Amino acid sequence: EAQVTQNPRYLITVTGKKLTVTCSQNMNHEYMSWYRQDPGLGLRQIYYSMNVEVTDKGDVPEGYKVSRKEKRNFPLILESPSPNQTSLYFCASSLRGGDNNEQFFGPGTRLTVL
Amino acid sequence: AQSVAQPEDQVNVAEGNPLTVKCTYSVSGNPYLFWYVQYPNRGLQFLLKYITGDNLVKGSYGFEAEFNKSQTSFHLKKPSALVSDSALYFCAVRDNTGGFKTIFGAGTRLFVKA
């Protein structure tokens, strides 16, 4: 089954404790992206990647890191989480271009930073 | 800079009536426009997109959207609403210059009453 998976689905942590949220897709998509969803703000793009070793900032990159060492994986790293990073996080992937460029989303990771 | 506006936080409609969820955008050049739907406790699902061509785009579950370049709008429509259409709807605009930068609207919650 074609899908985007994220782990963990739920995470409660404390300020300053480094964490990683994993994202993996099995569709051989070139593009991958991380978003956070907050009430009233919709989804805001954190980082995106257009291919292996190619990443770029979205609208809200502060406090986050990403890496793209393999095509299928795109982990999101919070090196020193803070309470304002409490949010619902989504990973998404997409083909590069042409007509098939809609995004496929993972199920989401709900993060609480105390 | 790209931007997307969904002027209504909530839309209420009776089952069987037509529905419209509004979206306006601001982007330099020709836009890639998308509608996604989010059901409770789920990730986002793609509904439809406008890349080029016909201004009326048909998508999943009987939804359609009309691209209006002069009004910079991309309103989502359905001729006859179902209770099961109740969900959170997001309009999005994507970089059309070969990148993957994507801006989402804040979302519109649709309530369809039986």
Side-chain angles (χ1 to χ4, degrees), chain B residues 3-7 22-26 33 71-75 91:
Chain B
S3 66
V4 175
Q6 293 182 241
K22 295 180 180 177
C23 172
T24 59
Y25 66 90
S26 174
L33 295 161
Q71 297 184 5
T72 61
S73 66
F74 189 55
H75 300 333
C91 182

Side-chain angles (χ1 to χ4, degrees), chain A residues 1-5 24-29 93 104-105:
Chain A
E1 180 189 355
Q3 60 183 346
V4 178
T5 56
S24 182
Q25 50 93 6
N26 62 1
M27 295 169 280
N28 203 35
H29 285 170
S93 70
F104 292 79
F105 284 82

Side-chain angles (χ1 to χ4, degrees), chain B residues 61-109:
Chain B
Y61 313 121
F63 283 93
E64 57 189 29
E66 186 168 10
F67 170 65
N68 187 317
K69 189 171 184 178
S70 63
Q71 297 184 5
T72 61
S73 66
F74 189 55
H75 300 333
L76 181 69
K77 300 183 180 186
K78 188 173 183 180
S80 179
L82 300 173
V83 172
S84 57
D85 292 331
S86 298
L88 187 56
Y89 291 81
F90 291 100
C91 182
V93 60
R94 176 169 160 176
D95 187 339
N96 64 356
T97 61
F100 193 38
K101 192 157 190 180
T102 306
I103 304 294
F104 280 79
T108 298
R109 190 164 296 280

